[in-house]
Amino acid sequence: MTDFRDVAAENRFEQGFTDEEGELRRVWADYAREGDRRVILHVEAEPQLRGSGAAGDFMKRLADHARTHDLKLIPRCAYAVAWFRRHPEAADVISDL
């Protein structure tokens, strides 16, 4: 696993996870900026990570990152919306529109 990072030049959060074969694969979230808010447009995991829980771990780290950096998130991607519904403990990082 690699550290969670904000690739600001690409408007993307990303993190690496090891798949079943020991290969490093990525999960990422593309975003748009709105001041101190990030609109989460798309969350995706490489196919080799799907079903492994990596995307859920990534979303938890995304919420932690938002708290640490005083960011608010606006989930637009269906996966992000569903994840935040299942994790009300992360509601503090969701922005009011």
Side-chain angles (χ1 to χ4, degrees):
M1 181 178 350
T2 63
D3 290 337
F4 180 95
R5 65 188 194 132
D6 181 356
V7 186
E10 296 179 24
N11 289 339
R12 176 177 281 187
F13 297 113
E14 67 180 27
Q15 186 170 12
F17 293 86
T18 305
D19 69 12
E20 290 181 355
E21 284 78 40
E23 296 293 323
L24 190 62
R25 306 290 181 179
R26 290 182 313 136
V27 179
W28 67 90
D30 294 323
Y31 64 81
R33 297 169 193 257
E34 289 186 4
D36 64 349
R37 301 184 302 173
R38 301 295 180 265
V39 182
I40 305 303
L41 303 171
H42 180 75
V43 175
E44 188 167 345
E46 289 190 57
Q48 299 86 343
L49 291 175
R50 293 184 188 153
S52 71
D57 290 345
F58 171 82
M59 291 298 296
K60 181 184 179 317
R61 287 179 178 85
L62 174 56
D64 291 343
H65 175 83
R67 277 186 206 96
T68 300
H69 295 278
D70 294 321
L71 297 173
K72 292 293 185 178
L73 304 175
I74 304 170
R76 291 288 178 253
C77 164
Y79 179 81
V81 169
W83 189 89
F84 280 107
R85 282 190 185 139
R86 289 190 313 269
H87 294 87
E89 70 279 7
D92 62 305
V93 300
I94 300 298
S95 176
D96 294 328
L97 294 177

